[in-house]
Amino acid sequence: MTLTAQLKWWQSGIIYQIYPRSFQDASGDGVGDLRGITARLPYVASLGVQAVWLSPIFTSPMRDFGYDVADYCDIDPLFGSLEDFDALVAEAHRLGLKVMLDYVPNHTSSDHAWFQEALQGKGSPKRDWYVWRDPGPDGGLPNNWKSFFGGPAWTLDEASGQYYLHQFLPSQPDLNWRNPDVREAMFEVLRFWMRRGVDGFRVDVIWLLAEDERFLDEPANPNWRPGDIEHASVEHIYTQDQPETHEYIREMRAVIDEFDDRMMVGEIYLPVEKLLPFAGTPDEPMVHLPFNFHLILMPWDAAQIRTFTDSYDAECRKAHTWPNWVLGNHDQHRFRSRVGDAQYRVAQTLLLTLRGTPTVYYGDEIGMSNVHIPLHRMVDPAGLQQPESPTASRDPERTPMQWDDSANAGFSAAGTEPWLPVGDNYTTLNVQAQENDPSSDLSYFRALTRLRQEHPALLAGDYRSLDAGHDKVFAFERTLDGDRLIVVLNFGSEELDLSNGTHGETLLSSLGDQPEAGAPLRPNEARVLRV
Ligand code: NOJ
């Protein structure tokens, strides 16, 4: 079997993230839904991606837009029904696409029947399914733990006089993963969806599952500066990356492995040395892919990205872990806005040619950027709760997909008000306008995914960085058997002569032409070469 054929779908394929509220509104209420997604699946398949990951679609009061689940085994009526979901899976599979769901195990909605039962009092059989503490010695909060969305991670239940833990909103109480009944109930959720044909899961905040049992204060973060979000003011040594979390993930993996060819990717914001252990070992595997968010967190700088990639690739090999790369998701500002218009294709090229699984956020393939949301239209609790941090709102990256130049960009019927405003540029920046334009961002994206199909070296080949002779250029090779491709990325705005070691026949240039071998690299150009 060739090396490429040995790769699993989640290694050779691209994961495409859909934020269901914003992809396609079929019902006409201004919010995207499952029937809308199903209708657009042929488009998704045409991109050359392998899997769709849907952000949460389960029953929810939507205080955190679905990341507050009130019933893990049903679909919220806003998105449709279980029948609509089955139809979506059938259509995806017909088109050769895998379906991944967003699994939210750390916390439920406070509307969940389990929490409502827990609120019945200290004697409730579900009380211990959540994390409760008596008030601290001064009669106030149990300790200094903080919510990601600002304020304390504890809310008082006046009826019982105890506080419950929530690392996010007060309406998102943390489940107590130390309780084996909680683990079993949550594992049943995975089985429920796998029996329905789901191929994989993105696991929400998987590195937060367990907390240290001593409930000690977390130490102050010496690097925190006023204006940074409050959550970062302490170091999360007792609420993140606990040894018990690793145990629970091993159990979770065993459940995934009860079914054929399924996978999970874990949401984990940690440095590489703490991130890769989440993949486990060949004997005791954990998540298939621990999300690597470092391209988002790092400055957009060729030399720093080279250093990072060299060490990440080497560490993945040592750890027998498959690498993966992310530029955008529903929690991060659009990468086009981060790196700037000129560098947009350089970034896209990097994402799709490095060794490892790329995840693509909907709309990034057509070059959508952050949409300015006026204060009165802001809906994200992360923004509303932290008015002192102007960039905390995630609304700008969650706006409706821009399909065409009709009213509401073809996302929602004319006359409806979409839940978030459509980007002003939709009349020119949309799928329809880009479909038949060979020089569009969409065509460039498809050219990159085609290149991956045509050159197994891009999927299964080794990675090695090269000296291009300039610090603003990141160059690397991907090699497999006799095939050798070189990727050269100009992070700067000057034309540069490439060193001999990086010459070759141009397979693709981000500027749309086919420069001769050895031709200077133009400002902001990305080029894929064959040697
Ligand atoms: C991480 C998710 O990506 C984010 O959108 C959500 O607000 C939190 N987890 C809480 O579930």
Side-chain angles (χ1 to χ4, degrees):
M1 200 164 36
T2 63
L3 263 180
T4 325
Q6 282 171 32
L7 295 181
K8 300 275 194 190
W9 62 266
W10 49 269
Q11 295 177 307
S12 57
I14 298 167
I15 299 172
Y16 184 83
Q17 180 188 0
I18 291 178
Y19 195 67
R21 296 182 72 86
S22 298
F23 206 55
Q24 179 68 60
D25 170 21
S27 67
D29 61 359
V31 177
D33 44 44
L34 296 185
R35 284 197 294 120
I37 294 172
T38 305
R40 294 294 190 181
L41 285 178
Y43 164 77
V44 177
S46 80
L47 296 174
V49 304
Q50 171 70 85
V52 286
W53 145 34
L54 309 182
S55 282
I57 50 175
F58 318 106
T59 314
S60 165
M62 303 287 168
R63 295 183 192 106
D64 188 18
F65 299 108
Y67 284 95
D68 46 334
V69 181
D71 182 349
Y72 288 98
C73 295
D74 208 348
I75 305 289
D76 195 276
L78 197 59
F79 294 127
S81 62
L82 281 169
E83 289 68 43
D84 294 331
F85 180 72
D86 291 340
L88 184 155
V89 173
E91 172 68 351
H93 287 169
R94 186 184 74 77
L95 292 163
L97 293 169
K98 304 282 185 183
V99 176
M100 297 169 59
L101 288 185
D102 212 312
Y103 176 58
V104 189
N106 178 68
H107 45 270
T108 68
S109 158
S110 51
D111 289 11
H112 197 293
W114 300 338
F115 189 69
Q116 288 303 311
E117 206 180 322
L119 283 178
Q120 298 301 304
K122 292 183 183 166
S124 157
K126 290 284 189 303
R127 185 74 172 182
D128 185 53
W129 282 41
Y130 294 86
V131 182
W132 298 93
R133 297 301 285 167
D134 289 331
D138 62 352
L141 297 166
N143 61 27
N144 73 346
W145 293 0
K146 306 212 179 302
S147 152
F148 273 82
F149 293 156
W154 298 100
T155 288
L156 180 66
D157 164 41
E158 288 189 5
S160 66
Q162 284 193 311
Y163 285 84
Y164 64 88
L165 178 70
H166 53 85
Q167 301 213 51
F168 295 91
L169 295 173
S171 58
Q172 292 170 296
D174 266 50
L175 280 166
N176 175 16
W177 271 73
R178 292 178 184 276
N179 184 324
D181 294 340
V182 167
R183 302 208 290 279
E184 199 36 53
M186 287 307 293
F187 293 156
E188 243 342 90
V189 170
L190 292 171
R191 295 188 186 100
F192 174 87
W193 292 108
M194 286 191 283
R195 282 187 211 110
R196 268 199 131 86
V198 167
D199 302 286
F201 301 91
R202 174 266 188 187
V203 188
D204 191 64
V205 295
I206 198 170
W207 86 114
L208 306 186
L209 292 181
E211 295 80 38
D212 187 287
E213 274 187 303
R214 292 167 298 169
F215 293 92
L216 301 171
D217 275 358
E218 295 194 313
N221 173 4
N223 300 319
W224 185 82
R225 297 282 166 271
D228 295 350
I229 61 165
E230 185 190 346
H231 183 256
S233 63
V234 293
E235 290 181 334
H236 304 289
I237 59 172
Y238 299 131
T239 51
Q240 304 192 354
D241 195 19
Q242 301 297 301
E244 292 86 343
T245 295
H246 290 236
E247 261 171 55
Y248 307 148
I249 298 174
R250 282 190 278 271
E251 291 177 25
M252 198 182 281
R253 172 61 180 262
V255 176
I256 299 284
D257 288 346
E258 290 169 13
F259 293 74
D260 262 0
D261 207 19
R262 313 298 161 102
M263 63 81 78
M264 55 176 173
V265 39
E267 186 200 16
I268 304 159
Y269 284 88
L270 285 177
V272 171
E273 69 277 12
K274 293 185 173 174
L275 175 66
L276 295 189
F278 277 82
T281 62
D283 292 338
E284 290 194 308
M286 292 163 62
V287 298
H288 298 73
L289 299 173
F291 261 142
N292 162 20
F293 295 125
H294 290 274
L295 285 183
I296 298 176
L297 306 172
M298 241 176 349
W300 192 249
D301 174 86
Q304 290 188 54
I305 290 179
R306 176 185 184 178
T307 306
F308 174 82
T309 305
D310 287 353
S311 90
Y312 174 70
D313 192 80
E315 292 304 318
C316 284
R317 283 194 182 280
K318 268 193 236 155
H320 305 283
T321 300
W322 187 251
N324 76 89
W325 299 95
V326 185
L327 278 177
N329 63 37
H330 63 292
D331 294 329
Q332 304 293 340
H333 288 184
R334 290 267 178 193
F335 84 80
R336 185 174 196 140
S337 302
R338 288 201 317 270
V339 305
D341 288 341
Q343 282 288 303
Y344 162 75
R345 289 193 187 184
V346 171
Q348 193 73 283
T349 311
L350 178 68
L351 176 71
L352 297 178
T353 55
L354 283 172
R355 189 174 81 89
T357 306
T359 298
V360 170
Y361 186 52
Y362 84 94
D364 280 351
E365 74 278 17
I366 55 169
M368 281 174 64
S369 41
N370 283 350
V371 174
H372 171 71
I373 309 292
L375 213 54
H376 73 277
R377 291 291 309 267
M378 192 193 278
V379 290
D380 178 23
L384 294 171
Q385 294 217 153
Q386 304 178 94
E388 72 286 1
S389 306
T391 55
S393 171
R394 300 165 295 180
D395 293 333
E397 63 264 24
R398 296 178 172 180
T399 61
M401 179 68 175
Q402 296 174 193
W403 294 105
D404 57 40
D405 63 0
S406 67
N408 291 332
F411 161 74
S412 209
T416 33
E417 180 164 57
W419 76 288
L420 277 177
V422 174
D424 284 342
N425 57 5
Y426 79 92
T427 50
T428 49
L429 196 150
N430 63 61
V431 171
Q432 193 182 52
Q434 295 193 16
E435 273 292 350
N436 301 314
D437 173 2
S439 69
S440 68
D441 291 331
L442 178 58
S443 298
Y444 186 65
F445 183 88
R446 288 196 174 117
L448 281 167
T449 61
R450 251 196 322 273
L451 213 57
R452 289 170 62 89
Q453 293 313 317
E454 289 163 4
H455 296 277
L458 288 177
L459 305 181
D462 287 343
Y463 156 90
R464 191 168 68 95
S465 68
L466 303 171
D467 286 320
H470 306 279
D471 24 314
K472 290 237 159 91
V473 176
F474 177 28
F476 57 89
E477 63 175 18
R478 302 292 315 279
T479 49
L480 182 70
D481 305 327
D483 208 8
R484 177 159 181 251
L485 299 194
I486 293 182
V487 180
V488 275
L489 306 168
N490 190 347
F491 280 60
S493 50
E494 277 170 39
E495 183 164 294
L496 299 167
D497 283 322
L498 291 170
S499 62
N500 285 338
T502 49
H503 287 181
E505 172 207 349
T506 302
L507 294 175
L508 185 66
S509 162
S510 62
L511 301 183
D513 52 3
Q514 280 222 310
E516 280 172 21
L521 189 63
R522 290 159 292 175
N524 304 299
E525 182 180 6
R527 219 183 272 172
V528 185
L529 314 167
R530 181 167 45 194
V531 187

